[in-house]
Amino acid sequence: MAQDADHTYEAIIIGGGQAGLATAYYLLRAGVNTLVLDDQDTPGGGWLHVWPSLKLFSTAEFSNLPGWPMPAYGGFPPAAHVVDYLTAYEQRYRIPVERPVTVDRVDHDGERFHVQAGHRSWTARNVIAATGTWSAPFAPTYPGTFNGTHWHSANYPGIETFRGQRVAVVGGANSGAQIAAELTTVAEVTWYTREQPRWMPDDVDGRVLFRRNRERALAIQRGEPDPGADSDLGDIVVLPEVREARDSGRLQATPTFSSLDEVEADHLIWCTGFRPAIRPIRRLLKNGRPQHPGLHVVGYGDWTGPGSATITGVGPSAKQAAREVAASVGKTVK
Ligand code: FAD
């Protein structure tokens, strides 16, 4: 990839997952001199870190990045299928990704951004943060002590580790329901949720959510009122394995404890979500908004656009960021 002698780019994207690749796709098409820096050894982003049995909640034809659809798969694809897709996508569009490079900090000198990773540094007119969330798992704080083993859905290794043991699973959204459901086949599970689980209708899967998110994203971009969040539909997509565990009575919710002292289990798995992994750019944000015109955030969910944390949903916000970056260097994203 062509670059100036002093490592100056028109755009540097931090993060080589789906959000970074989708943004790079649009930038490269517009002829923007772009570099992607990613801290993983291989392509795949957060999909390299999900639990072994995880499957998408929608079929391949509803899991497309801009330009090139996900290759067909019978049924709901596993994470490995997404990793293969991202690997091929990166090669197909010759997206210049340097790995592994962990960006430590980004500074702005009033004109340009300085991106630092250990002893290495780059300069850029624009920086796009697309660092995802998997490396910033969130767990709430409770009083008391739990003496068993703490886990998070971010490092949940699959059912075998828990066979024959007592497991507390905390969290009333998709990861909590899916992990608790599969564990009920091998372990004594207590599934803690703050409220009664809010199941989506059985016929709602990713397709409905993606369509809804796209309508929301486009309406917001047009300056129209937000037509409403997915949460109106419920919190949990009723995948076949989850439905079976729920309908057979194996999967039942218990109101969340008020102190960890109440939890009688060998393992406690927090399925309580993630936060944006924005440590390198945090100083450049004010009230969650970039302070400099050349700084963009892509792929973090509602913060950066409805559905933008999904494969199909990242397209509109990636395109919007790419448009602004391209315009800043006199180029056009079509
Ligand atoms: P990531 O995939 O996390 O990519 C960001 C990349 O940046 C990573 O490689 C990361 O390691 C790297 N990075 C982070 N910090 C730095 C740094 N400082 N320097 C350099 N690199 C850095 N979406 C769907 O569309 N369908 C689904 O069925 C679906 N199921 C999901 C199930 C689970 C359990 C989870 C957690 C998510 C699911 N998603 C699903 C949501 C979404 O598609 C993923 O979270 C996706 O990985 C987000 O892509 P991203 O590019 O924003 O972030």
Side-chain angles (χ1 to χ4, degrees), residues 203-247:
D203 59 346
V204 169
D205 66 14
R207 284 169 302 179
V208 176
L209 303 178
F210 295 153
R211 201 177 312 123
R212 203 173 163 106
N213 280 327
R214 191 170 174 79
E215 284 162 11
R216 290 184 69 203
L218 294 175
I220 291 168
Q221 276 184 12
R222 289 193 298 264
E224 295 167 8
D226 183 344
D230 311 329
S231 54
D232 300 348
L233 287 171
D235 296 326
I236 304 170
V237 179
V238 188
L239 294 174
E241 297 80 2
V242 173
R243 181 184 311 147
E244 199 275 316
R246 179 195 65 182
D247 293 352

Side-chain angles (χ1 to χ4, degrees), residues 18 58 60-66 210 214 307 310-316:
Q18 65 204 29
S58 58
E61 61 271 34
F62 291 91
S63 306
N64 299 323
L65 289 175
F210 295 153
R214 191 170 174 79
T310 62
I311 303 169
T312 280
V314 75

Side-chain angles (χ1 to χ4, degrees), residues 308-333:
S308 65
T310 62
I311 303 169
T312 280
V314 75
S317 46
K319 189 171 189 179
Q320 180 64 25
R323 274 199 179 119
E324 291 172 25
V325 169
S328 78
V329 293
K331 295 174 183 169
T332 309
V333 172

Side-chain angles (χ1 to χ4, degrees), residues 265-276:
D266 306 305
H267 300 271
L268 176 52
I269 306 176
W270 297 100
C271 299
T272 40
F274 297 83
R275 297 289 182 262

